[in-house]
């Protein structure tokens, strides 16, 4: 194989391996359970084993050798899946067409950001801390339409910051916009994103994300939560008033065997859905105490009568009061959606 391709794959797989093993070693247990949607680390080690096999093959000069003709698997194929073992010529016609579609999609998701429209959701009042689709470090939120015409909202957080985080987020954005218009199920969209991101050499970390779909006619919110901080649903006339929308599956890009459930909730007028990234709950005061989910829930309850945008402003003020010296603007994201009467 070309030296340049081989070294790119090796570098990238090593980077992902070190990201993952650092994460396993240093992340507090409750955060890991949230992110993996299970109590054990074993599924991460299955993925690390695949990364190790890839590194071993690179070492032995057997990476990308076609197992049928013993020729070379195309570099572009290996870029989207470094575990690929069959070259294009040795695939059946349907397999080849499928792979070509994946290659096309993969090059699409590496292109520049799509232009964004301001969110307009019938039946929902939306407020957000910053502009739609703005990528701030490792945070991302966005709005879009599903194939069915229903409305999508997403919040995501990359494990790790910096350039690769921004690249991941722009890839995620393009993937979401492309897949949502071709899909009717939030769990299907996230599972397909996992498939594209798991073995892709350009994506060396993983993503937690919450994807919601709102059908304004049924007032129905359907969601899948891939290891993301549980959004808060506050229902002034509900019992219970507070519901945390816990993960329905693991973070994207980390498990070889990936399944994700979806859940649905019918919204009543005045219900408030609050999405946020860990920069909110993990904001520390000068005594290093975390802001935490309880303060967040109290603030939402106290300000739930406001418009969505004023609620977001009240939360920002609450965070500012908690730690007046922090500059949370750089690394936290809040989106509020309030059901209209
Ligand atoms: Zn072959």
């Amino acid at each position: 194989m070309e030296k340049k391709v081989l070294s790119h794959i090796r570098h990238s797989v090593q980077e992902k391996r070190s990201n993952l093993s650092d994460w396993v070693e240093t992340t507090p247990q409750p955060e890991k359970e949230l992110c993996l949607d299970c109590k054990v680390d074993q599924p991460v080690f299955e993925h690390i084993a695949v990364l190790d096999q890839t590194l071993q093959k690179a070492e032995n000069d057997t990476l990308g050798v076609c197992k049928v003709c013993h020729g070379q698997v195309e570099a572009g194929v290996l870029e989207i899946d470094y575990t690929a073992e069959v070259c294009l010529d040795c695939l059946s016609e349907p397999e080849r067409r499928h792979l070509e579609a994946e290659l096309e999609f993969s090059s699409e998701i590496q292109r520049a950001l799509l232009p964004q429209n301001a969110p307009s959701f019938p039946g929902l009042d939306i407020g957000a801390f910053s502009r739609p689709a703005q990528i701030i470090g490792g945070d991302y939120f966005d709005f879009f339409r599903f194939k069915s015409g229903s409305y999508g909202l997403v919040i995501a957080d990359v494990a790790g910051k910096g350039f690769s985080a921004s690249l991941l987020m722009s890839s995620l954005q393009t993937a979401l916009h492309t897949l949502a218009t071709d899909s009717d199920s939030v769990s299907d969209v996230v599972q397909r994103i996992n498939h594209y991101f798991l073995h892709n050499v350009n994506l060396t970390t993983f993503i937690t994300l919450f994807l919601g779909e709102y059908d304004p006619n049924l007032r129905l919110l359907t969601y899948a939560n891939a290891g993301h901080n549980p959004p808060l649903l506050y229902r002034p006339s509900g019992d219970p008033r507070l519901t945390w929308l816990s993960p329905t599956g693991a973070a994207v890009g980390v498990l070889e065997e990936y399944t994700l459930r979806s859940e649905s909730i019918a919204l009543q007028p005045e219900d408030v859905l609050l999405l946020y990234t860990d920069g909110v709950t993990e904001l520390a005061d000068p005594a290093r105490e975390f802001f935490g989910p309880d303060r967040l829930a109290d603030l939402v309850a106290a300000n739930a009568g406001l418009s969505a945008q004023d609620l977001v402003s009240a939360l920002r003020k609450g965070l500012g009061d908690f730690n007046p010296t922090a500059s949370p603007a750089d690394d936290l994201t809040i989106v509020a959606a309030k059901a209209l009467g």
Side-chain angles (χ1 to χ4, degrees):
M1 190 185 341
E2 251 185 85
K3 268 220 162 72
K4 209 174 118 204
V5 177
L6 185 66
S7 109
H8 177 46
I9 295 175
R10 183 188 278 163
H11 177 82
S12 166
V13 169
Q14 260 161 357
E15 187 170 293
K16 187 165 186 188
R17 198 202 186 285
S18 104
N19 278 339
L20 271 182
S21 48
D22 286 354
W23 182 81
V24 171
E25 279 162 31
T26 60
T27 307
Q29 193 59 26
E31 205 180 304
K32 279 201 277 193
E33 285 177 25
L34 181 75
C35 191
L36 299 175
D37 193 34
C38 73
K39 291 194 185 301
V40 294
D41 298 339
Q42 183 52 33
V44 180
F45 291 113
E46 284 165 21
H47 185 47
I48 288 177
V50 170
L51 298 170
D52 283 340
Q53 282 158 23
T54 305
L55 290 171
Q56 189 62 51
K57 284 183 177 173
E59 199 64 36
N60 300 344
D61 248 351
T62 54
L63 186 70
V65 174
C66 173
K67 67 179 181 188
V68 181
C69 71
H70 305 291
Q72 185 56 55
V73 176
E74 290 75 5
V77 174
L78 288 171
E79 287 235 328
I80 63 165
D81 187 348
Y82 46 72
T83 64
E85 290 185 304
V86 182
C87 75
L88 283 175
D89 283 345
C90 294
L91 293 173
S92 71
E93 186 58 23
E95 284 172 336
R96 199 175 54 78
R97 276 201 303 270
H98 179 75
L99 187 61
E100 280 171 354
E102 293 206 349
L103 281 166
E104 169 62 23
F105 180 76
S106 174
S107 71
E108 251 171 55
I109 68 176
Q110 317 268 342
R111 278 181 212 137
L113 301 185
L114 299 175
Q116 293 307 302
N117 300 316
S120 161
F121 278 45
L124 286 184
D125 171 27
I126 305 265
F129 171 65
S130 60
R131 284 176 295 120
Q134 187 166 359
I135 291 163
I136 312 155
D139 287 4
Y140 163 64
F141 71 94
D142 203 358
F143 309 92
F144 50 87
R145 298 291 289 275
F146 278 89
K147 185 182 176 184
S148 60
S150 57
Y151 294 80
L153 73 170
V154 64
I155 189 162
D157 197 349
V158 160
K161 306 284 178 203
F163 175 73
S164 63
S166 302
L167 179 71
L168 252 179
M169 279 311 169
S170 58
S171 300
L172 175 67
Q173 181 184 34
T174 317
L176 269 170
H177 282 259
T178 310
L179 293 173
T181 55
D182 183 40
S183 173
D184 282 325
S185 131
V186 288
S187 53
D188 178 51
V189 170
V190 180
Q191 290 189 138
R192 287 167 74 182
I193 287 172
N194 184 68
H195 170 78
Y196 284 113
F197 281 21
L198 184 65
H199 293 159
N200 191 303
V201 294
N202 294 309
L203 308 170
T204 56
T205 179
F206 59 90
I207 305 170
T208 70
L209 73 94
F210 175 94
L211 177 62
E213 175 183 14
Y214 186 65
D215 180 333
N217 298 317
L218 300 174
R219 293 180 165 276
L220 193 68
L221 174 74
T222 303
Y223 68 90
N225 181 350
H228 195 75
N229 298 80
L232 171 62
L233 181 64
Y234 178 77
R235 329 190 73 175
S237 54
D239 180 21
R241 288 190 174 187
L242 281 178
T243 309
W244 299 95
L245 307 184
S246 298
T248 60
V252 160
V254 69
L255 300 190
E256 294 292 323
E257 299 288 330
Y258 189 70
T259 54
L260 185 80
R261 305 180 307 281
S262 61
E263 309 261 349
S264 293
I265 300 175
L267 296 187
Q268 305 294 329
E270 301 299 312
D271 284 359
V272 173
L273 174 68
L274 190 84
L275 314 179
Y276 58 95
T277 53
D278 60 10
V280 173
T281 43
E282 289 173 13
L283 177 71
D285 71 3
R288 311 197 69 165
E289 188 179 342
F290 280 160
F291 187 73
D294 294 342
R295 284 189 185 86
L296 182 66
D298 289 347
L299 268 181
V300 170
N303 295 285
L306 302 175
S307 72
Q309 194 59 55
D310 288 348
L311 171 63
V312 170
S313 301
L315 293 176
R316 286 180 61 196
K317 182 174 179 306
L319 290 162
D321 292 346
F322 184 70
N323 185 347
T325 60
S327 54
D330 295 335
D331 59 0
L332 67 80
T333 300
I334 306 171
V335 181
K338 186 172 183 179
L340 297 170

